[in-house]
Amino acid sequence: MRKVVLAMQLSLDGYVARPGGELDWMWPTFTPETMADIIEAIKLTSTQVMGRVTYEAQSAHWPGSTDEVAPLVNAAEKIVFSRTLREPLGWSGARLATTDLATTIETLRATGDGDIALVGGSALARAATRAGLVDEYQLIVHPVALGEGLPLFDTPVSLHLRDQRRYSSGAMRLTYSR
């Protein structure tokens, strides 16, 4: 059975983005060591699950990128949840989910190899958490408080800390399981 990993960047006060979806707050504390850990995590995944906004941002960036992450992201199967997008999607390996989140995740768990990464957005992450679909949370917490924005959690969830790593920038990578 494949593991579902929710991998996100997070502010100290629990937001994954500013109110308009901006991510500018994380880059000052994003370091090469942060990227190295992200690359290692991506190598363990073969499927990425995302919402429309994340898909549109990533599909505009990764296919033409020469970044070291690009080949890994471009090679992955990408399942996109959207009420507005229609097939065919323009990014290799991307397809629209045709069933609800729980059914899609359970079908993915039973097929293929490698972890299933939930990579965004915040609404999809919250829905997966509420439904109990996430096995592991890989959170990079940046030493920034936004005060408002798009929250990662909107329901109580008990987690167990499995691993932690402090980066030289003050950010921390926290790995939790349910």
Side-chain angles (χ1 to χ4, degrees):
M1 195 69 99
R2 297 167 75 189
K3 178 172 60 174
V4 175
V5 176
L6 190 147
M8 299 192 96
Q9 312 285 319
L10 192 63
S11 69
L12 277 175
D13 50 354
Y15 297 108
V16 299
R18 292 189 191 274
E22 302 88 359
L23 303 173
D24 59 315
W25 54 272
M26 77 173 75
W27 303 121
T29 57
F30 203 89
T31 65
E33 60 189 333
T34 309
M35 181 55 77
D37 278 357
I38 289 171
I39 289 170
E40 289 307 308
I42 292 172
K43 287 179 180 178
L44 298 175
T45 66
S46 60
T47 303
Q48 294 188 352
V49 177
M50 63 190 77
R52 177 193 54 83
V53 173
T54 300
Y55 168 78
E56 288 175 341
Q58 290 196 12
S59 67
H61 175 75
W62 291 118
S65 176
T66 58
D67 185 292
E68 62 186 316
V69 177
L72 299 171
V73 175
N74 288 326
E77 173 186 34
K78 293 161 280 289
I79 310 299
V80 181
F81 283 85
S82 174
R83 291 182 204 97
T84 58
L85 291 177
R86 299 290 171 250
E87 296 277 11
L89 297 178
W91 188 11
S92 177
R95 65 181 172 86
L96 287 173
T98 57
T99 59
D100 65 272
L101 181 59
T103 302
T104 298
I105 293 295
E106 293 310 318
T107 300
L108 289 170
R109 280 186 200 273
T111 60
D113 296 312
D115 291 345
I116 301 161
L118 255 158
V119 297
S122 61
L124 186 66
R126 288 190 302 272
T129 296
R130 282 191 307 271
L133 300 173
V134 180
D135 301 307
E136 183 174 286
Y137 292 81
Q138 293 178 3
L139 307 175
I140 297 178
V141 181
H142 295 266
V144 174
L146 298 177
E148 64 178 345
L150 304 177
L152 177 57
F153 298 105
D154 66 355
T155 188
V157 59
S158 294
L159 301 173
H160 305 282
L161 182 64
R162 287 196 27 245
D163 190 36
Q164 62 186 338
R165 179 173 181 196
R166 184 180 183 273
Y167 299 114
S168 60
S169 66
M172 290 193 70
R173 181 173 187 260
L174 303 170
T175 304
Y176 292 96
S177 60
R178 289 184 341 116

